[in-house]
Amino acid sequence: MKYNVNFRQSYLFFLFVLAFFSLLSCTQSTKPDVSTIHLDVKIARFDQDLYAGKSKDITETDEFLKKKYGWFYNDFTNRMVGNGEYSSREILTTLYKDQAYTDLSRESDSVFKDITPINNDLTQAFKYIKYYYPKAQIPQFISFISGFAVQTPIGDNYMGIGLDMFLGKDSKFYKAIVQSVPGYLSRRFTPEYIVPRVAETYAREELFKERDEDRTLLAKMIHNGKILYFMDQVLADEVPDSVKIGYTKSQIEWCKEFEADIWAYYLENNLLFETDYQKIQVFLSEGPFTPGLGEKNESAPKLGVWIGWQIVKKYMKNNQEVSLQQLMMETDAQKILNASKYKPKK
């Protein structure tokens, strides 16, 4: 009898193992193998070097930062925390006397004491970017604190990561700056957003700049949709869509539920080929919701971006012979829309 019980338990375990591996095969990533691409991203900690200089001679610190960080240090002192009217040493002196800078530095260092996981995720994302675009120049990544002035700036062979804008949505600092940075933005100031925002900024600024001639709502929808689809391909599968686009989970669900209604609204109001930026920017810009759509301000913001993403995903699903590079090179938004056969159902 005891033998039979053990056998049954073993049998159930065997079924569990089969089910587990079956599940793995269903969810296995379709991303390419990038293990042979040699890349090791390590974020340079300007934020720590700057704060460490507080206890040293100003001239010595100034010269050290100039030598180590070059153009970034110049941009930091002249464009991020200064405006060129004061010397870099005067900027350092002012910063070091500011208690708010000290408090912010300590908070940032407590949140980002170990950034190894971020280095690893950036390395993997940019390996995928190098896979698709071998000639892409990978910048030096530099972390800094600017007093909420800028989040992910790109300069001469560098890309900055403003750690003070990724401290966590409940940070006490964000409650103090709500007048200039509303809650619908600061709720995204969390560590999980660092890699997606870096990838998006790099894609928009370095690889796929928007063309001046793309003035219709449809063209802008498709451009933004292509950027998000590119992010799908280079970010880890575990990164949720809500983080890629900057939505809450409820906003994602709202979009899915009312997708057909959103699309019908664009068609009924002849918006796809509208070029008046004042009329179309409401469907592309950040905000707490999209005015004119949904009840009780429950709609998601920038619905044109989200619909563009769905169109591009449908296009790639229905045209599997099209490569990622071919998609990103395609400038005919109407062609993508037609070939996508996009028609969401209620």
Side-chain angles (χ1 to χ4, degrees), residues 56-66 89 92-93:
K56 301 175 182 177
D57 176 75
I58 287 290
T59 300
E60 178 187 341
T61 296
D62 183 47
E63 290 302 318
F64 168 75
L65 295 175
K66 279 180 181 177
R89 278 176 289 180
L92 291 182
T93 301

Side-chain angles (χ1 to χ4, degrees), residues 166-220:
F166 296 103
L167 295 175
K169 63 183 179 64
D170 296 323
S171 172
K172 62 183 178 182
F173 293 100
Y174 302 149
K175 296 179 178 64
I177 60 170
V178 69
Q179 294 297 325
S180 56
V181 183
Y184 67 82
L185 289 179
S186 64
R187 68 166 181 78
R188 294 181 244 164
F189 290 177
T190 64
E192 68 174 339
Y193 272 87
I194 289 180
V195 178
R197 289 290 71 79
V198 167
E200 179 182 9
T201 302
Y202 183 82
R204 290 185 182 279
E205 300 297 327
E206 296 294 298
L207 297 179
F208 317 113
K209 291 187 178 181
E210 188 173 16
R211 303 186 314 157
D212 291 339
E213 55 265 45
D214 289 339
R215 297 180 179 178
T216 66
L217 176 60
L218 177 61
K220 293 182 180 297

Side-chain angles (χ1 to χ4, degrees), residues 205-241:
E205 300 297 327
E206 296 294 298
L207 297 179
F208 317 113
K209 291 187 178 181
E210 188 173 16
R211 303 186 314 157
D212 291 339
E213 55 265 45
D214 289 339
R215 297 180 179 178
T216 66
L217 176 60
L218 177 61
K220 293 182 180 297
M221 287 168 61
I222 296 301
H223 173 75
N224 283 283
K226 286 159 61 176
I227 296 291
L228 282 161
Y229 185 83
F230 176 81
M231 292 169 65
D232 288 335
Q233 312 312 307
V234 302
L235 295 177
D237 294 332
E238 294 77 20
V239 178
D241 286 351

Side-chain angles (χ1 to χ4, degrees), residues 36 39 43 48 59 66 79 87 95 130 151 157 174 191 201 204 243-244 248 251 255 257 265 268 304 319 329 341:
T36 59
L39 182 66
I43 300 170
Q48 292 182 341
T59 300
K66 279 180 181 177
R79 300 172 63 185
S87 70
L95 276 179
K130 289 290 283 185
Q151 191 176 47
N157 201 34
Y174 302 149
T201 302
R204 290 185 182 279
V243 171
K244 292 172 190 169
T248 63
Q251 286 173 334
C255 286
E257 181 178 355
Y265 180 87
E268 291 167 3
N319 300 272
M329 287 179 60
K341 301 179 181 178

Side-chain angles (χ1 to χ4, degrees), residues 6 62 84 91 169 241 254-255 268 279 281 296 332 336:
N6 284 339
D62 183 47
I91 294 293
K169 63 183 179 64
D241 286 351
W254 188 93
C255 286
E268 291 167 3
K279 291 182 179 180
Q281 61 87 23
K296 301 178 181 178
D332 190 337
I336 290 177

